[in-house]
Amino acid sequence: MGRMSMEEPVGEPGELPEYAERVLDVADAIPPGRVMTYGDVAEWLGEGGPRQVGRVMALYGGSAPWWRVVRADGTLLPGHELRALGHYREEGTPLRAAGPAAEGHVPRIDMRRARWDGAPGEEGTASGGARTHT
């Protein structure tokens, strides 16, 4: 996989870098109840890697369904577990019960059942509209 710099200049104030726009478009396309890993998104785009996707989601992901882009092991995003869990329950995302040793007994995503491969016929609701960062 190629590497890219997140230091790309942004054209106009409030305009997203092109790579960030592409990452967020993929997040928008993930159907409710399904997830993709950071690495899945990078592979789907054919550019960057899990860390670059994670950086985009951290900086700009608030305008997208951020809870649908997850860690490969299915653990919930630290500091956002309860918000994400609410979205997963609302959307019917398959979860695995946490064992008693798990911190806070927070469940994990059942990656075997929830992972989306981007296959046609199960599209999400990508708006295709322009996105700006405030």
Side-chain angles (χ1 to χ4, degrees):
M1 286 189 177
R3 294 186 184 265
M4 65 167 293
S5 170
M6 293 307 294
E7 302 298 318
E8 293 181 280
V10 176
E12 297 290 324
E15 185 178 312
L16 291 177
E18 189 269 335
Y19 183 73
E21 184 75 36
R22 291 175 57 217
V23 166
L24 297 178
D25 285 346
V26 172
D28 284 338
I30 302 168
R34 305 299 296 273
V35 299
M36 288 180 93
T37 68
Y38 297 107
D40 290 341
V41 173
E43 185 177 333
W44 178 257
L45 294 173
E47 185 177 3
R51 289 178 187 253
Q52 287 82 9
V53 171
R55 177 104 171 121
V56 167
M57 294 305 293
L59 293 175
Y60 309 111
S63 66
W66 54 267
W67 59 92
R68 295 182 192 152
V69 181
V70 301
R71 294 176 168 193
D73 66 0
T75 57
L76 306 190
L77 185 63
H80 300 280
E81 299 94 343
L82 295 180
R83 286 181 53 213
L85 194 54
H87 289 294
Y88 297 139
R89 287 182 173 148
E90 181 180 314
E91 295 181 356
T93 306
L95 300 171
R96 292 177 43 200
E103 185 177 331
H105 304 287
V106 176
R108 289 182 179 216
I109 297 164
D110 184 339
M111 294 302 292
R112 187 179 53 79
R113 293 174 44 220
R115 198 170 200 168
W116 185 57
D117 62 4
E122 195 180 345
E123 290 85 8
T125 57
S127 64
R131 187 188 304 271
T132 57
H133 174 67
T134 55

